[in-house]
Amino acid sequence: MTKLYPLTLKLINKKVLVVGAGKVALRKLQGLVGTGAEITVVSPEVLPEIEVLPDITIIQRHFQPSDTKNAHIIYAATDNQQVNDEVGRYIEHWQWFDNTALPEASNFFTPAVIREKGLIVSISTEARDPTRAKLIKQKITDFLLKSMKE
Ligand SMILES: C[C@@]1(CC(=O)O)c2cc3[nH]c(cc4nc(cc5[nH]c(cc(n2)[C@H]1CCC(=O)O)[C@@](C)(CC(=O)O)[C@@H]5CCC(=O)O)C(CC(=O)O)=C4CCC(=O)O)c(CCC(=O)O)c3CC(=O)O
Ligand SMILES: NC(=O)C1=CN([C@@H]2O[C@H](COP(=O)(O)OP(=O)(O)OC[C@H]3O[C@@H](n4cnc5c(N)ncnc54)[C@H](O)[C@@H]3O)[C@@H](O)[C@H]2O)C=CC1
């Protein structure tokens, strides 16, 4: 694979669209809350944990092509791969798109993130093994908490 490029972004006033509002969408949204991004969620069914997240606009219906317009970052996180593919078809060349069920269709991925005392550690397996990213996150967190105590 061509090498991937990690960044630390300021998202203030950037438009973020999340299509789907289930377990995977919840995890992406938890990472986005507090960034200052203008977040919109489009989904017919919405987890109660998402309904209570602050500063999110929820549109309770199926995805429509015009939803992607002007969004800087777009997540397709539905349980229907045809819908995720459809979202991908409306992506323009300047937009960042993560099809959370299909790495080949995405032009960015969400890493596992640790935030501890002014430090951000971001872990990616280049989309090969997200469960491993989660495991390594746990190990690095344990190491950091131990070394900060010393
Ligand atoms: C490519 C990527 C796209 C993206 O999502 O951005 C992607 C894709 C896929 N994930 C899948 C499965 C799982 N993902 C997790 C967990 C996480 N996944 C995350 C990121 C990413 N996942 C991106 C690559 C990151 C990298 O480069 O390493 C993390 C790190 C970040 C986050 O999501 O915030 C977060 C842990 C963070 C934390 O815990 O802090 C778990 C474990 C769990 O849920 O407990 C399971 C197992 C669930 C199970 O066992 O069923 C599947 C198969 C789905 C299927 O089988 O249908 C696909 C699709 C595929 O790989 O083809
Ligand atoms: N990237 C990742 O971290 C992971 C990705 N996955 C993939 O993500 C998919 C979603 O998983 P979950 O969140 O657990 O599913 P879920 O069943 O909890 O949520 C699915 C959501 O999609 C919405 N949806 C369905 N049709 C829609 C439409 N036409 N327009 C808008 N929203 C629509 C539903 O309303 C629901 O909110 C799985 O099918 C799997 O392939 C699974 C685990 C981890």
PDB file of all heavy atoms in Angstrom, residues 32-60:
ATOM      1  N   LEU A  32     -15.340  12.660  17.995  1.00  0.00           N
ATOM      2  CA  LEU A  32     -15.528  13.970  17.345  1.00  0.00           C
ATOM      3  C   LEU A  32     -16.069  15.035  18.302  1.00  0.00           C
ATOM      4  O   LEU A  32     -15.849  16.229  18.094  1.00  0.00           O
ATOM      5  CB  LEU A  32     -16.509  13.814  16.176  1.00  0.00           C
ATOM      6  CG  LEU A  32     -15.945  13.110  14.935  1.00  0.00           C
ATOM      7  CD1 LEU A  32     -17.074  12.624  14.032  1.00  0.00           C
ATOM      8  CD2 LEU A  32     -15.003  14.038  14.173  1.00  0.00           C
ATOM      9  N   VAL A  33     -16.804  14.591  19.333  1.00  0.00           N
ATOM     10  CA  VAL A  33     -17.397  15.547  20.276  1.00  0.00           C
ATOM     11  C   VAL A  33     -16.293  16.372  20.944  1.00  0.00           C
ATOM     12  O   VAL A  33     -15.267  15.836  21.355  1.00  0.00           O
ATOM     13  CB  VAL A  33     -18.240  14.792  21.341  1.00  0.00           C
ATOM     14  CG1 VAL A  33     -18.521  15.663  22.553  1.00  0.00           C
ATOM     15  CG2 VAL A  33     -19.540  14.311  20.726  1.00  0.00           C
ATOM     16  N   GLY A  34     -16.512  17.692  20.989  1.00  0.00           N
ATOM     17  CA  GLY A  34     -15.535  18.557  21.643  1.00  0.00           C
ATOM     18  C   GLY A  34     -14.492  19.132  20.690  1.00  0.00           C
ATOM     19  O   GLY A  34     -13.667  19.956  21.087  1.00  0.00           O
ATOM     20  N   THR A  35     -14.528  18.728  19.423  1.00  0.00           N
ATOM     21  CA  THR A  35     -13.546  19.243  18.451  1.00  0.00           C
ATOM     22  C   THR A  35     -13.982  20.565  17.840  1.00  0.00           C
ATOM     23  O   THR A  35     -13.206  21.199  17.129  1.00  0.00           O
ATOM     24  CB  THR A  35     -13.337  18.245  17.287  1.00  0.00           C
ATOM     25  OG1 THR A  35     -14.603  18.046  16.627  1.00  0.00           O
ATOM     26  CG2 THR A  35     -12.804  16.907  17.775  1.00  0.00           C
ATOM     27  N   GLY A  36     -15.239  20.957  18.059  1.00  0.00           N
ATOM     28  CA  GLY A  36     -15.755  22.188  17.446  1.00  0.00           C
ATOM     29  C   GLY A  36     -16.284  21.968  16.042  1.00  0.00           C
ATOM     30  O   GLY A  36     -16.714  22.914  15.374  1.00  0.00           O
ATOM     31  N   ALA A  37     -16.265  20.723  15.587  1.00  0.00           N
ATOM     32  CA  ALA A  37     -16.796  20.427  14.248  1.00  0.00           C
ATOM     33  C   ALA A  37     -18.312  20.581  14.253  1.00  0.00           C
ATOM     34  O   ALA A  37     -18.963  20.436  15.293  1.00  0.00           O
ATOM     35  CB  ALA A  37     -16.420  19.004  13.845  1.00  0.00           C
ATOM     36  N   GLU A  38     -18.852  20.895  13.075  1.00  0.00           N
ATOM     37  CA  GLU A  38     -20.312  20.972  12.896  1.00  0.00           C
ATOM     38  C   GLU A  38     -20.764  19.580  12.472  1.00  0.00           C
ATOM     39  O   GLU A  38     -20.601  19.207  11.313  1.00  0.00           O
ATOM     40  CB  GLU A  38     -20.587  21.936  11.751  1.00  0.00           C
ATOM     41  CG  GLU A  38     -21.573  23.010  12.035  1.00  0.00           C
ATOM     42  CD  GLU A  38     -21.676  23.933  10.835  1.00  0.00           C
ATOM     43  OE1 GLU A  38     -22.387  23.572   9.878  1.00  0.00           O
ATOM     44  OE2 GLU A  38     -21.011  24.977  10.856  1.00  0.00           O
ATOM     45  N   ILE A  39     -21.319  18.823  13.428  1.00  0.00           N
ATOM     46  CA  ILE A  39     -21.559  17.396  13.173  1.00  0.00           C
ATOM     47  C   ILE A  39     -23.029  17.129  12.847  1.00  0.00           C
ATOM     48  O   ILE A  39     -23.926  17.542  13.590  1.00  0.00           O
ATOM     49  CB  ILE A  39     -21.154  16.556  14.407  1.00  0.00           C
ATOM     50  CG1 ILE A  39     -19.694  16.847  14.798  1.00  0.00           C
ATOM     51  CG2 ILE A  39     -21.353  15.068  14.144  1.00  0.00           C
ATOM     52  CD1 ILE A  39     -19.312  16.322  16.174  1.00  0.00           C
ATOM     53  N   THR A  40     -23.256  16.422  11.742  1.00  0.00           N
ATOM     54  CA  THR A  40     -24.621  16.005  11.379  1.00  0.00           C
ATOM     55  C   THR A  40     -24.660  14.485  11.293  1.00  0.00           C
ATOM     56  O   THR A  40     -23.751  13.873  10.721  1.00  0.00           O
ATOM     57  CB  THR A  40     -25.027  16.595  10.009  1.00  0.00           C
ATOM     58  OG1 THR A  40     -24.886  18.008  10.082  1.00  0.00           O
ATOM     59  CG2 THR A  40     -26.463  16.242   9.653  1.00  0.00           C
ATOM     60  N   VAL A  41     -25.705  13.907  11.863  1.00  0.00           N
ATOM     61  CA  VAL A  41     -25.911  12.462  11.803  1.00  0.00           C
ATOM     62  C   VAL A  41     -27.197  12.215  11.026  1.00  0.00           C
ATOM     63  O   VAL A  41     -28.227  12.831  11.332  1.00  0.00           O
ATOM     64  CB  VAL A  41     -26.046  11.867  13.218  1.00  0.00           C
ATOM     65  CG1 VAL A  41     -26.365  10.378  13.171  1.00  0.00           C
ATOM     66  CG2 VAL A  41     -24.775  12.108  14.028  1.00  0.00           C
ATOM     67  N   VAL A  42     -27.134  11.337  10.031  1.00  0.00           N
ATOM     68  CA  VAL A  42     -28.340  10.974   9.272  1.00  0.00           C
ATOM     69  C   VAL A  42     -28.579   9.487   9.444  1.00  0.00           C
ATOM     70  O   VAL A  42     -27.720   8.662   9.094  1.00  0.00           O
ATOM     71  CB  VAL A  42     -28.172  11.292   7.768  1.00  0.00           C
ATOM     72  CG1 VAL A  42     -29.386  10.787   6.987  1.00  0.00           C
ATOM     73  CG2 VAL A  42     -27.986  12.781   7.541  1.00  0.00           C
ATOM     74  N   SER A  43     -29.727   9.137  10.008  1.00  0.00           N
ATOM     75  CA  SER A  43     -30.031   7.722  10.236  1.00  0.00           C
ATOM     76  C   SER A  43     -31.486   7.552  10.661  1.00  0.00           C
ATOM     77  O   SER A  43     -31.975   8.329  11.485  1.00  0.00           O
ATOM     78  CB  SER A  43     -29.108   7.184  11.343  1.00  0.00           C
ATOM     79  OG  SER A  43     -29.372   5.822  11.581  1.00  0.00           O
ATOM     80  N   PRO A  44     -32.173   6.539  10.140  1.00  0.00           N
ATOM     81  CA  PRO A  44     -33.563   6.321  10.579  1.00  0.00           C
ATOM     82  C   PRO A  44     -33.649   5.871  12.033  1.00  0.00           C
ATOM     83  O   PRO A  44     -34.567   6.251  12.746  1.00  0.00           O
ATOM     84  CB  PRO A  44     -34.081   5.232   9.633  1.00  0.00           C
ATOM     85  CG  PRO A  44     -32.890   4.632   8.991  1.00  0.00           C
ATOM     86  CD  PRO A  44     -31.783   5.639   9.049  1.00  0.00           C
ATOM     87  N   GLU A  45     -32.682   5.035  12.449  1.00  0.00           N
ATOM     88  CA  GLU A  45     -32.658   4.609  13.860  1.00  0.00           C
ATOM     89  C   GLU A  45     -31.428   5.192  14.532  1.00  0.00           C
ATOM     90  O   GLU A  45     -30.344   5.189  13.942  1.00  0.00           O
ATOM     91  CB  GLU A  45     -32.612   3.084  13.953  1.00  0.00           C
ATOM     92  CG  GLU A  45     -33.963   2.442  13.670  1.00  0.00           C
ATOM     93  CD  GLU A  45     -33.852   0.943  13.516  1.00  0.00           C
ATOM     94  OE1 GLU A  45     -33.273   0.317  14.417  1.00  0.00           O
ATOM     95  OE2 GLU A  45     -34.314   0.426  12.482  1.00  0.00           O
ATOM     96  N   VAL A  46     -31.622   5.673  15.766  1.00  0.00           N
ATOM     97  CA  VAL A  46     -30.531   6.362  16.454  1.00  0.00           C
ATOM     98  C   VAL A  46     -30.379   5.785  17.864  1.00  0.00           C
ATOM     99  O   VAL A  46     -31.359   5.733  18.621  1.00  0.00           O
ATOM    100  CB  VAL A  46     -30.829   7.884  16.536  1.00  0.00           C
ATOM    101  CG1 VAL A  46     -29.704   8.620  17.245  1.00  0.00           C
ATOM    102  CG2 VAL A  46     -31.058   8.469  15.140  1.00  0.00           C
ATOM    103  N   LEU A  47     -29.166   5.368  18.206  1.00  0.00           N
ATOM    104  CA  LEU A  47     -28.941   4.855  19.567  1.00  0.00           C
ATOM    105  C   LEU A  47     -29.197   5.951  20.595  1.00  0.00           C
ATOM    106  O   LEU A  47     -28.812   7.101  20.365  1.00  0.00           O
ATOM    107  CB  LEU A  47     -27.485   4.394  19.724  1.00  0.00           C
ATOM    108  CG  LEU A  47     -27.049   3.058  19.158  1.00  0.00           C
ATOM    109  CD1 LEU A  47     -25.583   2.809  19.515  1.00  0.00           C
ATOM    110  CD2 LEU A  47     -27.908   1.923  19.684  1.00  0.00           C
ATOM    111  N   PRO A  48     -29.796   5.611  21.733  1.00  0.00           N
ATOM    112  CA  PRO A  48     -30.032   6.619  22.774  1.00  0.00           C
ATOM    113  C   PRO A  48     -28.733   7.308  23.215  1.00  0.00           C
ATOM    114  O   PRO A  48     -28.736   8.507  23.524  1.00  0.00           O
ATOM    115  CB  PRO A  48     -30.620   5.813  23.939  1.00  0.00           C
ATOM    116  CG  PRO A  48     -30.900   4.444  23.436  1.00  0.00           C
ATOM    117  CD  PRO A  48     -30.342   4.289  22.073  1.00  0.00           C
ATOM    118  N   GLU A  49     -27.605   6.590  23.189  1.00  0.00           N
ATOM    119  CA  GLU A  49     -26.310   7.189  23.584  1.00  0.00           C
ATOM    120  C   GLU A  49     -25.898   8.292  22.611  1.00  0.00           C
ATOM    121  O   GLU A  49     -25.134   9.187  22.960  1.00  0.00           O
ATOM    122  CB  GLU A  49     -25.193   6.134  23.613  1.00  0.00           C
ATOM    123  CG  GLU A  49     -25.372   5.044  24.645  1.00  0.00           C
ATOM    124  CD  GLU A  49     -26.047   3.809  24.063  1.00  0.00           C
ATOM    125  OE1 GLU A  49     -27.053   3.953  23.330  1.00  0.00           O
ATOM    126  OE2 GLU A  49     -25.572   2.698  24.358  1.00  0.00           O
ATOM    127  N   ILE A  50     -26.376   8.197  21.364  1.00  0.00           N
ATOM    128  CA  ILE A  50     -26.060   9.238  20.376  1.00  0.00           C
ATOM    129  C   ILE A  50     -26.988  10.438  20.563  1.00  0.00           C
ATOM    130  O   ILE A  50     -26.560  11.586  20.479  1.00  0.00           O
ATOM    131  CB  ILE A  50     -26.141   8.672  18.934  1.00  0.00           C
ATOM    132  CG1 ILE A  50     -24.989   7.671  18.721  1.00  0.00           C
ATOM    133  CG2 ILE A  50     -26.131   9.783  17.878  1.00  0.00           C
ATOM    134  CD1 ILE A  50     -24.928   7.016  17.364  1.00  0.00           C
ATOM    135  N   GLU A  51     -28.258  10.141  20.869  1.00  0.00           N
ATOM    136  CA  GLU A  51     -29.244  11.222  21.067  1.00  0.00           C
ATOM    137  C   GLU A  51     -28.793  12.214  22.133  1.00  0.00           C
ATOM    138  O   GLU A  51     -29.098  13.400  22.053  1.00  0.00           O
ATOM    139  CB  GLU A  51     -30.596  10.632  21.468  1.00  0.00           C
ATOM    140  CG  GLU A  51     -31.391  10.169  20.263  1.00  0.00           C
ATOM    141  CD  GLU A  51     -32.631   9.364  20.635  1.00  0.00           C
ATOM    142  OE1 GLU A  51     -32.904   9.214  21.836  1.00  0.00           O
ATOM    143  OE2 GLU A  51     -33.304   8.891  19.708  1.00  0.00           O
ATOM    144  N   VAL A  52     -28.051  11.752  23.124  1.00  0.00           N
ATOM    145  CA  VAL A  52     -27.677  12.643  24.231  1.00  0.00           C
ATOM    146  C   VAL A  52     -26.311  13.308  24.037  1.00  0.00           C
ATOM    147  O   VAL A  52     -25.890  14.112  24.870  1.00  0.00           O
ATOM    148  CB  VAL A  52     -27.693  11.899  25.600  1.00  0.00           C
ATOM    149  CG1 VAL A  52     -29.088  11.386  25.911  1.00  0.00           C
ATOM    150  CG2 VAL A  52     -26.681  10.750  25.633  1.00  0.00           C
ATOM    151  N   LEU A  53     -25.629  13.023  22.949  1.00  0.00           N
ATOM    152  CA  LEU A  53     -24.331  13.677  22.720  1.00  0.00           C
ATOM    153  C   LEU A  53     -24.548  15.171  22.448  1.00  0.00           C
ATOM    154  O   LEU A  53     -25.501  15.543  21.760  1.00  0.00           O
ATOM    155  CB  LEU A  53     -23.607  13.033  21.533  1.00  0.00           C
ATOM    156  CG  LEU A  53     -23.078  11.605  21.725  1.00  0.00           C
ATOM    157  CD1 LEU A  53     -22.482  11.089  20.410  1.00  0.00           C
ATOM    158  CD2 LEU A  53     -22.038  11.542  22.838  1.00  0.00           C
ATOM    159  N   PRO A  54     -23.666  16.037  22.950  1.00  0.00           N
ATOM    160  CA  PRO A  54     -23.870  17.472  22.771  1.00  0.00           C
ATOM    161  C   PRO A  54     -23.493  17.957  21.365  1.00  0.00           C
ATOM    162  O   PRO A  54     -22.619  17.379  20.714  1.00  0.00           O
ATOM    163  CB  PRO A  54     -22.918  18.084  23.815  1.00  0.00           C
ATOM    164  CG  PRO A  54     -21.852  17.061  24.026  1.00  0.00           C
ATOM    165  CD  PRO A  54     -22.490  15.722  23.790  1.00  0.00           C
ATOM    166  N   ASP A  55     -24.144  19.036  20.935  1.00  0.00           N
ATOM    167  CA  ASP A  55     -23.768  19.755  19.698  1.00  0.00           C
ATOM    168  C   ASP A  55     -23.762  18.899  18.441  1.00  0.00           C
ATOM    169  O   ASP A  55     -22.863  19.011  17.602  1.00  0.00           O
ATOM    170  CB  ASP A  55     -22.387  20.424  19.873  1.00  0.00           C
ATOM    171  CG  ASP A  55     -22.350  21.328  21.085  1.00  0.00           C
ATOM    172  OD1 ASP A  55     -23.369  21.997  21.333  1.00  0.00           O
ATOM    173  OD2 ASP A  55     -21.324  21.343  21.797  1.00  0.00           O
ATOM    174  N   ILE A  56     -24.767  18.029  18.326  1.00  0.00           N
ATOM    175  CA  ILE A  56     -24.885  17.209  17.128  1.00  0.00           C
ATOM    176  C   ILE A  56     -26.265  17.429  16.532  1.00  0.00           C
ATOM    177  O   ILE A  56     -27.259  17.448  17.260  1.00  0.00           O
ATOM    178  CB  ILE A  56     -24.689  15.715  17.470  1.00  0.00           C
ATOM    179  CG1 ILE A  56     -23.243  15.474  17.869  1.00  0.00           C
ATOM    180  CG2 ILE A  56     -25.070  14.809  16.317  1.00  0.00           C
ATOM    181  CD1 ILE A  56     -22.960  14.050  18.201  1.00  0.00           C
ATOM    182  N   THR A  57     -26.333  17.608  15.218  1.00  0.00           N
ATOM    183  CA  THR A  57     -27.633  17.698  14.555  1.00  0.00           C
ATOM    184  C   THR A  57     -28.009  16.313  14.061  1.00  0.00           C
ATOM    185  O   THR A  57     -27.252  15.700  13.302  1.00  0.00           O
ATOM    186  CB  THR A  57     -27.552  18.673  13.351  1.00  0.00           C
ATOM    187  OG1 THR A  57     -27.079  19.922  13.834  1.00  0.00           O
ATOM    188  CG2 THR A  57     -28.911  18.839  12.679  1.00  0.00           C
ATOM    189  N   ILE A  58     -29.164  15.832  14.522  1.00  0.00           N
ATOM    190  CA  ILE A  58     -29.607  14.500  14.101  1.00  0.00           C
ATOM    191  C   ILE A  58     -30.759  14.633  13.113  1.00  0.00           C
ATOM    192  O   ILE A  58     -31.762  15.298  13.414  1.00  0.00           O
ATOM    193  CB  ILE A  58     -30.027  13.648  15.322  1.00  0.00           C
ATOM    194  CG1 ILE A  58     -28.812  13.432  16.250  1.00  0.00           C
ATOM    195  CG2 ILE A  58     -30.602  12.300  14.875  1.00  0.00           C
ATOM    196  CD1 ILE A  58     -29.135  12.721  17.538  1.00  0.00           C
ATOM    197  N   ILE A  59     -30.592  14.017  11.945  1.00  0.00           N
ATOM    198  CA  ILE A  59     -31.661  14.007  10.949  1.00  0.00           C
ATOM    199  C   ILE A  59     -32.150  12.565  10.846  1.00  0.00           C
ATOM    200  O   ILE A  59     -31.408  11.684  10.380  1.00  0.00           O
ATOM    201  CB  ILE A  59     -31.162  14.527   9.585  1.00  0.00           C
ATOM    202  CG1 ILE A  59     -30.572  15.936   9.742  1.00  0.00           C
ATOM    203  CG2 ILE A  59     -32.302  14.517   8.565  1.00  0.00           C
ATOM    204  CD1 ILE A  59     -29.971  16.513   8.482  1.00  0.00           C
ATOM    205  N   GLN A  60     -33.363  12.332  11.324  1.00  0.00           N
ATOM    206  CA  GLN A  60     -33.844  10.959  11.456  1.00  0.00           C
ATOM    207  C   GLN A  60     -34.571  10.488  10.196  1.00  0.00           C
ATOM    208  O   GLN A  60     -35.804  10.531  10.110  1.00  0.00           O
ATOM    209  CB  GLN A  60     -34.728  10.826  12.696  1.00  0.00           C
ATOM    210  CG  GLN A  60     -34.669   9.420  13.248  1.00  0.00           C
ATOM    211  CD  GLN A  60     -35.036   9.350  14.709  1.00  0.00           C
ATOM    212  OE1 GLN A  60     -35.127  10.370  15.391  1.00  0.00           O
ATOM    213  NE2 GLN A  60     -35.255   8.139  15.200  1.00  0.00           N
TER     214      GLN A  60
END
